Amino acid sequence: MSMFRTSSYIADINRIFQTLRISPTRGPLPVHHFRPFVTSIRKMASDSSDGETHHDGASTEQPSSSSSKPHRSRPTHFLCLPLHGQHYPTLPQSYLPFKSAIKQFTIDETSQDASEESSMPADAIRYFNTLHLTLGVMSLTTPEKLQQAISTLESLDVSQFLSSDGLQNDDEKKLNISLKGLESMDNSRKGVEKCAILIIPPTDAPSDGGSTGGNRLYTFASALRQHFINEGIMTPENRPLKLHATVVNTVYSKKKKGSKDKKSKNSRGGGRRGNKERITFDATDVVERYKDHVWAEKLEIDRVQICNMGADKGEEVVGEDGTVEVVGNGYRVAGSRLIWP
């Protein structure tokens, strides 16, 4: 607001107050005496809300807190390293113990007394065919954006991000990992006691030559993620990459009837997803039981995939041994690239 306009408004206001001051006994004043005062106040309010402008055209008005935050579109796809082996015609030998371990984990943990306060929701356990290591998420909301992401991956020499220093032959150059232990995504004491997500941390597995080749897995995953961020395809995150295989996630759980009024730990909300209260449970015992458990050793990761958000439900099939297995579930693959073509 200019100094001239400010002085003009102040003069109008002073004139009204002078009239009021020198006429204390005249009774109610006519309405027209107040019109300049009201007009001046309205103009001052209007001008002050418009925000001043510098000579270069840049407004000095401070944006609202909501407008200052960058808008993030809802993720539609994610870049990952698959751990389920569905892409092989026949499941490799190294994957079989891992699949059996996940199956046994499901049986053991869902057979616990459901009335226990610390019980894990059975429908929170993830199916083997959904397991993967997420590198980052993408919002590919148009066919053009999706095609750009797929083309970027399928034309990329992925092996350039995988260190092969000191590794002599093709077997040693393979990206082999081990999966050991069980952790809460939030590994603090409070996070374990009110757990919503359980994960298995991956580590590099020794090659046939006896060397891990350094921290190849994390270096490879970080470099690959950064490449997609640099290409403007992946949404950058202000946090370091945390590689993990999610085996339990209560976002997929349905709250049981009557649990709202109970004060059990597996029915308390530890946060919200939309308007849905997040189910939590005390994971202290299960984390302790599996802290040294070896899920898989020398599990080869041979490709990178772009997958759609939201896993297919699948169908339950009864095997010859009487056990029930879910088939046809997992994430739909939009694009894939072998590490060593």
Side-chain angles (χ1 to χ4, degrees):
M1 185 186 303
S2 69
M3 184 63 70
F4 174 78
R5 283 189 293 172
T6 302
S7 301
S8 175
Y9 297 150
I10 293 175
D12 289 340
I13 295 170
N14 285 337
R15 187 163 55 252
I16 296 299
F17 278 112
Q18 283 291 330
T19 303
L20 293 173
R21 186 174 63 81
I22 65 176
S23 307
T25 61
R26 292 174 57 184
L29 294 175
V31 174
H32 69 269
H33 282 279
F34 295 94
R35 283 175 181 164
F37 174 73
V38 174
T39 302
S40 296
I41 293 297
R42 285 177 176 172
K43 286 183 178 179
M44 291 179 69
S46 175
D47 287 348
S48 63
S49 65
D50 287 341
E52 295 182 5
T53 304
H54 290 292
H55 58 82
D56 60 357
S59 173
T60 60
E61 181 185 5
Q62 294 296 322
S64 64
S65 58
S66 59
S67 62
S68 62
K69 295 180 180 179
H71 175 70
R72 295 188 65 177
S73 301
R74 185 174 182 178
T76 60
H77 297 76
F78 59 92
L79 187 70
C80 71
L81 306 177
L83 299 177
H84 45 69
Q86 285 193 97
H87 40 274
Y88 292 106
T90 303
L91 196 65
Q93 190 66 33
S94 60
Y95 281 81
L96 295 176
F98 182 34
K99 184 175 183 179
S100 297
I102 293 295
K103 186 176 182 179
Q104 191 61 49
F105 172 79
T106 303
I107 294 172
D108 293 343
E109 296 309 315
T110 55
S111 64
Q112 300 291 328
D113 185 358
S115 64
E116 292 182 5
E117 290 187 351
S118 60
S119 62
M120 179 192 307
D123 52 0
I125 300 178
R126 306 300 290 133
Y127 295 115
F128 176 75
N129 290 344
T130 66
L131 301 183
H132 62 274
L133 303 177
T134 301
L135 306 186
V137 298
M138 298 167 283
S139 181
L140 309 176
T141 54
T142 65
E144 292 76 17
K145 289 182 178 180
L146 176 58
Q147 188 56 51
Q148 180 192 3
I150 295 173
S151 298
T152 298
L153 176 61
E154 294 183 346
S155 62
L156 186 64
D157 178 11
V158 180
S159 64
Q160 66 179 298
F161 304 115
L162 187 61
S163 173
S164 299
D165 295 342
L167 303 178
Q168 303 299 322
N169 54 54
D170 292 342
D171 284 338
E172 291 183 9
K173 292 179 181 179
K174 291 179 180 179
L175 181 57
N176 296 322
I177 69 168
S178 294
L179 297 166
K180 179 181 178 181
L182 189 67
E183 301 174 359
S184 172
M185 178 65 85
D186 177 358
N187 216 20
S188 66
R189 180 177 178 180
K190 182 178 180 181
V192 174
E193 292 178 348
K194 291 188 175 182
C195 179
I197 300 175
L198 286 176
I199 62 173
I200 302 174
T203 58
D204 288 272
S207 65
D208 289 339
S211 171
T212 62
N215 195 4
R216 299 177 74 217
L217 172 63
Y218 187 82
T219 303
F220 171 72
S222 297
L224 190 56
R225 180 177 78 157
Q226 190 59 48
H227 178 79
F228 273 76
I229 292 175
N230 294 342
E231 291 293 319
I233 299 172
M234 184 175 292
T235 306
E237 298 184 26
N238 296 322
R239 57 184 177 182
L241 176 63
K242 183 176 182 178
L243 292 174
H244 62 277
T246 301
V247 289
V248 174
N249 192 341
T250 63
V251 74
Y252 302 101
S253 300
K254 295 180 181 179
K255 183 173 291 189
K256 297 179 181 179
K257 292 182 179 180
S259 62
K260 184 176 182 180
D261 298 325
K262 294 180 180 180
K263 294 185 178 180
S264 61
K265 293 181 181 178
N266 67 331
S267 64
R268 291 180 180 176
R272 289 183 178 272
R273 186 181 180 95
N275 294 324
K276 182 180 178 182
E277 188 176 10
R278 188 67 176 268
I279 299 173
T280 61
F281 63 97
D282 189 343
T284 304
D285 292 341
V286 67
V287 167
E288 179 64 24
R289 283 197 298 273
Y290 289 89
K291 66 179 182 180
D292 296 320
H293 184 76
V294 177
W295 303 87
E297 290 184 295
K298 202 176 178 183
L299 194 70
E300 182 187 358
I301 296 177
D302 73 334
R303 68 193 65 203
V304 182
Q305 292 180 339
I306 294 176
C307 295
N308 294 50
M309 285 285 187
D312 292 335
K313 190 173 182 180
E315 297 180 359
E316 293 185 348
V317 176
V318 180
E320 294 181 357
D321 57 354
T323 59
V324 178
E325 183 175 353
V326 178
V327 298
N329 61 327
Y331 294 94
R332 295 185 182 182
V333 179
S336 183
R337 178 68 170 173
L338 289 171
I339 297 177
W340 301 103

